[in-house]
Amino acid sequence: MTILSPDFLGTTKSKQAMFRFGETQFMHVQMTPAHTSQAVALTNIMHAAKGHWDYDPQDLEEFRAHWKITPKMIEEHPVLVISQEDRPVGFARIIKESPETALLDCLFVLPQAHGKGYGVWLLHGAETVAKRLHCTKLRLESDANAAPFYEKHGYHPTGSRASAFKRAKAIQLMEKALTAQIHEVREVDLILNSTAKWSFAAQNRQDISQNWQALIARTPALWDGKVLLVSSYTFKQGKFSAELMHIDYSAFLAWRDWGFPDKQSTNLFGCTVIRSREGDLIFGKMGENTAAAGQVYPPGGNLDQSDITPNGKVDIIASIARELEEETGLKLEQGELGRLLVIEDGPHVAIAQILTFPLTNNAILSKIADFNANQQEPELEEAVIINPLPTWSAITCLPMPERSQHTC
């Protein structure tokens, strides 16, 4: 269970950017939700990609005649499209099949755009979509040519079926669990590199500014302060170590909105997993004055300037305590501290403090509601009860949000 809103690309709008993906620099590449007007272009991509392989010409002719992307298909289910210089070069379509399972209905990239990382970007985007649809599993049906690509990215075979194409190998049925990786952590060592510069922000300065103007037009209370982003981290034998750098919050939100194109960076944040006397979890629904309005998270937030100690270390426990009090009015010392966890999920890593209160669900909700009633601009719209977990191993249901800095 991933508790996120269904707006699968957050505040992504049509925009252009120049950024570095791995070691390859792309000019004016974007990933956005597809528009119905792109149906013909996406159909052409699908046909070209399928024709790249050495299939029987008659089979390909029948495929082109019967397999098309229609405007209705784009309207009914999420479709991600990558465009280069405003020209679509690849797309993926995701269908929610059941409360737990999503289907990667298709993923195609133009043959001339192969080898640039677009397929990986679309696959990661599709997984994010599935999580925001509250699914814990993404399945797909791959022809033999593409199966090694999916295996490389964590998909395992669950069966096969015959291909409709003559002399083609069997279609591989594959799936991947979308739960985050969760480990207990004994020590956290975070250090600030005050001289580090984020190349993504430097390369995309103008587009970041345009994205920020669009964001504050919708949410004027946002503040473009300094936050901390992880440039590298390790997790070995219970010790989590990371190096962080200063970045502008506007650059962070652009990175988020554009589908996390710089894969070398990681969003690290701290959060509190509030547990009631009944064993339920208490999360918060973000308020309208925040960049994550309507989404449901454990109380927490980005690391910022105030978390830096005089010796250059970053105190994430102090951040966890501050965010808990700012969002709920509760304090760490009011409950029983439990395990400290590191939760890894793609571009996000959370350090999560388990905190059990000797209070009922209703008592905790009442305290948070009373606190919010006395705030001019509360960060939470309301507190939300998450039903009991059978064991702590089931804490994999925790979401990994694009955590946001709130009002100043």
Side-chain angles (χ1 to χ4, degrees):
M1 177 177 61
T2 301
I3 306 168
L4 290 172
S5 67
D7 57 332
F8 56 93
L9 278 181
T11 56
T12 297
K13 298 295 182 183
S14 179
K15 59 179 73 67
Q16 294 184 341
M18 178 180 75
F19 54 80
R20 194 172 297 277
F21 184 89
E23 296 301 320
T24 304
Q25 182 170 287
F26 299 147
M27 295 294 292
H28 300 297
V29 179
Q30 58 184 351
M31 181 167 71
T32 62
H35 191 273
T36 54
S37 64
Q38 296 175 308
V40 172
L42 302 190
T43 297
N44 291 337
I45 291 172
M46 179 171 62
H47 291 172
K50 201 71 171 179
H52 175 69
W53 304 108
D54 188 24
Y55 289 121
D56 181 89
Q58 184 177 350
D59 284 338
L60 288 173
E61 185 177 346
E62 293 181 4
F63 177 82
R64 295 186 185 101
H66 297 288
W67 289 88
K68 303 179 187 297
I69 301 298
T70 66
K72 183 178 180 182
M73 293 171 67
I74 296 173
E75 288 178 343
E76 288 180 339
H77 299 285
V79 178
L80 301 176
V81 59
I82 288 181
S83 299
Q84 186 172 353
E85 302 289 355
D86 291 330
R87 176 173 172 259
V89 295
F91 74 97
R93 184 170 184 255
I94 305 93
I95 297 173
K96 183 170 184 176
E97 293 187 313
S98 72
E100 297 82 21
T101 304
L103 168 68
L104 181 58
D105 183 52
C106 55
L107 189 158
F108 292 104
V109 176
L110 282 174
Q112 57 266 39
H114 286 181
K116 296 183 177 181
Y118 294 155
V120 178
W121 192 8
L122 285 167
L123 185 59
H124 290 169
E127 291 172 1
T128 298
V129 170
K131 291 175 184 178
R132 294 195 175 189
L133 292 173
H134 301 178
C135 294
T136 57
K137 181 171 63 177
L138 183 62
R139 77 170 193 91
L140 57 90
E141 298 186 5
S142 171
D143 66 25
N145 296 303
F149 165 78
Y150 293 112
E151 288 181 358
K152 180 180 178 180
H153 294 284
Y155 289 79
H156 63 273
T158 58
S160 63
R161 64 171 176 80
S163 172
F165 284 13
K166 296 186 289 291
R167 298 187 301 276
K169 294 181 180 179
I171 298 295
Q172 298 298 303
L173 311 182
M174 310 179 80
E175 66 180 42
K176 178 181 179 179
L178 299 178
T179 51
Q181 298 297 309
I182 299 181
H183 319 274
E184 187 166 0
V185 61
R186 295 192 302 273
E187 182 180 356
V188 178
D189 182 25
L190 309 179
I191 188 167
L192 174 69
N193 183 341
S194 59
T195 63
K197 303 296 182 183
W198 195 18
S199 59
F200 168 82
Q203 293 165 357
N204 295 282
R205 188 173 291 107
Q206 182 176 352
D207 295 291
I208 288 170
S209 177
Q210 292 175 358
N211 188 67
W212 177 251
Q213 294 305 314
L215 288 172
I216 60 175
R218 291 190 295 273
T219 312
L222 292 178
W223 171 55
D224 192 14
K226 293 289 185 181
V227 294
L228 304 181
L229 188 71
V230 169
S231 56
S232 64
Y233 77 89
T234 60
F235 181 61
K236 295 180 181 179
Q237 299 179 336
K239 180 178 179 180
F240 182 90
S241 303
E243 186 173 283
L244 298 94
M245 56 184 169
H246 286 119
I247 65 168
D248 293 329
Y249 185 51
S250 56
F252 169 80
L253 289 183
W255 178 58
R256 178 200 73 174
D257 291 348
W258 298 342
F260 306 100
D262 177 11
K263 302 300 179 184
Q264 308 306 312
S265 303
T266 304
N267 172 215
L268 175 67
F269 61 94
C271 64
T272 307
V273 181
I274 300 174
R275 189 172 183 237
S276 71
R277 192 171 68 190
E278 293 98 330
D280 294 339
L281 305 183
I282 309 297
F283 285 11
K285 182 178 180 181
M286 301 307 298
E288 291 299 321
N289 59 318
T290 71
Q295 299 188 15
V296 178
Y297 302 140
N302 277 331
L303 297 166
D304 60 32
Q305 299 276 78
S306 63
D307 301 314
I308 303 170
T309 63
N311 64 357
K313 297 285 187 176
V314 180
D315 190 345
I316 197 165
I317 301 302
S319 174
I320 289 172
R322 182 190 69 248
E323 294 289 342
L324 174 67
E325 187 169 0
E326 287 182 357
E327 294 186 12
T328 69
L330 302 174
K331 298 181 179 181
L332 288 180
E333 57 266 28
Q334 293 173 332
E336 179 184 348
L337 294 178
R339 294 186 296 166
L340 192 64
L341 306 174
V342 56
I343 308 173
E344 300 176 278
D345 190 3
H348 311 288
V349 174
I351 303 297
Q353 174 66 65
I354 308 298
L355 183 66
T356 302
F357 283 89
L359 301 171
T360 65
N361 291 333
N362 289 338
I364 295 174
L365 263 59
S366 179
K367 282 184 172 292
I368 296 174
D370 289 344
F371 173 78
N372 282 343
N374 291 308
Q375 303 301 304
Q376 185 175 359
E377 288 187 325
E379 296 192 22
L380 299 185
E381 179 180 324
E382 61 179 341
V384 178
I385 299 173
I386 308 301
N387 289 331
L389 300 174
T391 67
W392 278 115
S393 64
I395 202 168
T396 51
C397 76
L398 287 176
M400 296 302 304
E402 298 104 14
R403 297 303 292 164
S404 57
Q405 181 168 315
H406 310 311
T407 57
C408 57

